[in-house]
Amino acid sequence: MTWTGERLAALQAKYGEGHGGDIFDPRFRRVADRIFSASGTRMAPYAGLPTLLDAPYHPIDPSNPDFGDLQVAMVGMPMDLGVTNRPGSRFGPRALRAIERIGPYNHVLDCAPVYELKVADIGDVPFRSRYRLEQSHEDIERHVGRIVSAGVIPLSVGGDHSISHPILKAVGKDRPVGMIHIDAHCDTGGAFDGTKFHHGGPFRNAVLDGVLDPTRTIQIGIRGAAEYLWEFSYEAGMTVIHAEEMPAMGIAAIIEKARQVVGDGPTYLSFDIDSLDPAFAPGTGTPEIGGPTTREILELIRGLKGVNLVGGDVVEVAPQYDATTNTAQAGAQVLFEILSLMVFSPAVTGKTA
């Protein structure tokens, strides 16, 4: 198509005046109308009260919670008493809240989840003690249990990966759920140092408690020197895809395998930031080189559109090990992607891909 004066004049007439919110494509207009004021202004990303994904803040009374008409409740779990290596993921929820410019539009999934869902940041789990791990797990199970009982889907931000066990006890209370688990580690290890409650064993615990169906569980990105600890995954019937297998398989095949494993049943999505190669996310307690890139992880998660998600989490962001804030940025983006999937989850909205 040749560039002409007539084409320039047409563009000048259409776009020469007005403001950034004057968007003509209906697909984008529905987002812009929610973001821009009539005068063409929008809130600065660095202004206002920081919340997860800039969602509305909906504080609740833990003893008598009122979730209103929420479909999804995002909740912080600042607890890292279960780590085996570097501590610090207790600061993860605050770090993700401080990240700006995530969303509002997901151009791949064509949705603006904070505006299309009734979702809010409901604050943090009210822990009774900062020192007692098992008691903290009880607090998580109780808090998430109230969310689930209200018919609301929990989307959690940790904290170390041990938080997933009490979450699954609440989410899978009435029937075991399947799981898509993206991580460098299977986290199906046994007890050591006198306890089974640590971030290396939440999914063994969940299976043995009858709340996680291992035959509907897939673990993606596994690698590193702890392979000898994960025999439970194989014996229980979990599907394990190692990071070394990912290039040959390709992301499309991994997506297809994940969808095949979990089927149409209720499914939990757990994302450990150490699944990413530490070149992209060094701010975590147990980094493992040789992992996937952020682009590959985004492609993988977006390929799960239509999976019947009943909950999810992003864990193990330890921001003090990453002065660039890239790890928290990646964690917040993955949180946004999981929330975007919930727009299409039958458990949340009845929508499917």
Side-chain angles (χ1 to χ4, degrees):
M1 186 179 293
T2 303
W3 179 249
T4 65
E6 289 79 8
R7 288 190 63 204
L8 173 59
L11 288 173
Q12 289 173 332
K14 188 173 183 177
Y15 294 105
E17 302 294 335
H19 56 73
D22 289 334
I23 294 173
F24 300 92
D25 186 325
R27 188 163 69 107
F28 302 137
R29 181 79 208 181
R30 77 177 196 272
V31 181
D33 282 346
R34 290 162 164 161
I35 303 300
F36 284 89
S37 69
S39 63
T41 62
R42 55 178 177 162
M43 179 176 287
Y46 48 82
L49 180 71
T51 63
L52 294 168
L53 303 183
D54 286 331
Y57 180 47
H58 183 89
I60 62 170
D61 177 358
S63 63
N64 186 27
D66 179 5
F67 298 100
D69 60 353
L70 289 183
Q71 295 170 295
V72 179
M74 293 190 290
V75 55
M77 299 186 181
M79 190 282 298
D80 61 5
L81 297 172
V83 299
T84 55
N85 192 31
R86 301 188 300 190
S89 58
R90 65 181 62 186
F91 297 104
R94 179 170 289 186
L96 263 63
R97 287 185 173 106
I99 294 297
E100 70 282 343
R101 296 190 66 252
I102 299 294
Y105 181 60
N106 189 318
H107 74 283
V108 174
L109 297 180
D110 187 25
C111 65
V114 170
Y115 295 94
E116 295 183 37
L117 294 170
K118 296 171 183 175
V119 56
D121 182 341
I122 64 168
D124 293 341
V125 171
F127 293 114
R128 288 171 289 169
S129 171
R130 75 188 72 182
Y131 302 114
R132 300 178 63 185
L133 175 59
E134 288 88 344
Q135 186 182 76
S136 295
H137 284 185
E138 293 171 3
D139 294 337
I140 292 170
E141 182 181 356
R142 183 182 304 109
H143 199 66
V144 177
R146 292 185 177 118
I147 296 171
V148 173
S149 295
V152 181
I153 302 296
L155 180 52
S156 307
V157 177
D160 72 58
H161 219 155
S162 73
I163 70 168
S164 296
H165 176 214
I167 295 172
L168 285 167
K169 288 176 72 175
V171 172
K173 179 180 178 181
D174 296 328
R175 75 290 184 242
V177 299
M179 181 175 66
I180 298 170
H181 172 208
I182 305 171
D183 201 328
H185 314 98
C186 285
D187 292 348
T188 50
F192 60 88
D193 291 352
T195 181
K196 66 179 181 179
F197 300 108
H198 51 76
H199 73 166
F203 303 121
R204 178 194 291 222
N205 295 337
V207 170
L208 295 179
D209 282 340
V211 296
L212 176 64
D213 180 350
T215 67
R216 292 187 54 241
T217 294
I218 184 168
Q219 302 184 296
I220 302 168
I222 308 304
R223 61 192 186 276
E227 178 70 20
Y228 70 100
L229 296 173
W230 312 138
E231 65 182 5
F232 183 89
S233 289
Y234 304 103
E235 186 163 349
M238 295 180 180
T239 300
V240 179
I241 297 177
H242 292 87
E244 296 82 5
E245 301 173 84
M246 294 178 71
M249 289 184 67
I251 300 299
I254 296 171
I255 292 168
E256 182 59 32
K257 186 65 176 178
R259 299 177 75 96
Q260 180 186 68
V261 168
V262 301
D264 297 328
T267 301
Y268 189 82
L269 200 166
S270 186
F271 180 84
D272 189 324
I273 200 71
D274 71 27
S275 64
L276 287 164
D277 190 283
F280 301 92
T284 190
T286 49
E288 300 279 4
I289 69 167
T293 67
T294 50
R295 179 186 56 77
E296 289 170 322
I297 288 296
L298 293 181
E299 180 184 354
L300 171 60
I301 294 175
R302 290 163 177 170
L304 303 174
K305 180 180 179 181
V307 169
N308 190 19
L309 291 183
V310 294
D313 63 50
V314 174
V315 300
E316 298 284 357
V317 173
Q320 65 272 39
Y321 304 117
D322 182 4
T324 70
T325 74
N326 284 351
T327 305
Q329 181 83 30
Q333 185 66 48
V334 168
L335 185 71
F336 176 74
E337 300 296 333
I338 298 174
L339 184 64
S340 296
L341 291 180
M342 290 182 174
V343 173
F344 306 97
S345 169
V348 182
T349 62
K351 289 185 180 181
T352 60

